[in-house]
Amino acid sequence: MMRQRAVAAASLASVGAAAAATGSSSCSGSRASGGVATTGDRNWGAPRPPKTLPALGGANAGGGVLLLSDLDGTLYSHAPGAEGARSLARFNRHWLKAEDERSILCYNTARNMKDYRDLVAAGRAKDPPSVLLVPDVLCTGGGTAVQFRDPATGALEPDVGWSARVEAEWAPVLPEIGEWLAAFDEGHIDDLNTEPDARAALTVWGPAKAALARDALRAKLGDRVTIVVMESWVAGAWMVTASPPTATKRNVAVYVAEKLGVRHADCLWAGDTEGDESMLDSGMRGVCVRNATPGLLAAMRDKVQRVGADVMHASGHSTTGVHEALQIHQHSRGAARF
């Protein structure tokens, strides 16, 4: 375990040093390591033809939506058996038939680029396969990086402007982050800190240890970092992530919407854990899938009661819940609430 901690800290240090030496952004670093997605790249999901993203806004006659969905436990089910794969296949068919021409598909995940590719590869190897569509927009690292598909080639191109913003906040705290990783990381998920993202993550067994790691970092750096505690995609392991204040799921979602000229009324987000809690402050319509954690549901109810947040608790689990909310959103377009 001590070796794992040392490797994690060394990986973070080397990533920070490489970024500082090259002046590259986190996204451009991913791209340099083979991170560009083309329509034929199996590592990024089921291929879709390149397209010019539709204009969504006040004159949105097509009725499209910007769907910003978390992956693990939300759009992508890890439930045993074949139902998760069937649910994702149903969603994919619906999206390609009813939404693809008029809408924008965005994944907003805590996974870094490598972990996202691993998820796609693992899904492809399942029987039956469970393969995500290549997205129009890919937000990784809990908001530390964002990529947009090129309308001509279908490649996922890094947004260097966003990366520059988050890395300007990240570089000054790297030494303290390295010390924190060395002290607390138990290394239950490999390679969490090898991607050149402006984020660090550690894993421990159980919520009590996660709270200790969170409190230690908060005492060290205060509001100079955003800290998120959540259950990871590895059973029993909890993840604590640290990122610049700008780099949250909420902030990157708002950035994507603004860059694409999409009104919040034409957005729908989906999530299942406390890692999605910042989306409750996005001003966008949202859905917590049926299997959402008690912590996220409590935060959702609080926001609904106090400020009237337009968020529903789906009756369906994971993919089915996202599909349900998407159809309700489209049928209730123009209504004040879900």
Side-chain angles (χ1 to χ4, degrees), residues 109-125:
T109 176
R111 286 177 177 258
N112 63 28
M113 299 298 294
K114 177 187 179 299
D115 292 326
Y116 173 76
R117 293 191 295 267
D118 288 348
L119 178 67
V120 172
R124 200 179 295 280

Side-chain angles (χ1 to χ4, degrees), residues 2 4 34 87 116 130-131 140 162 177 182 190 196 232 243 291 295 319 323-324 330:
M2 289 303 295
Q4 290 172 322
S87 297
Y116 173 76
S130 184
V131 184
T140 54
W162 179 258
I177 293 293
D190 293 333
S232 77
S243 59
N291 50 290
T319 320
H323 196 169
E324 170 192 346
Q330 295 294 54

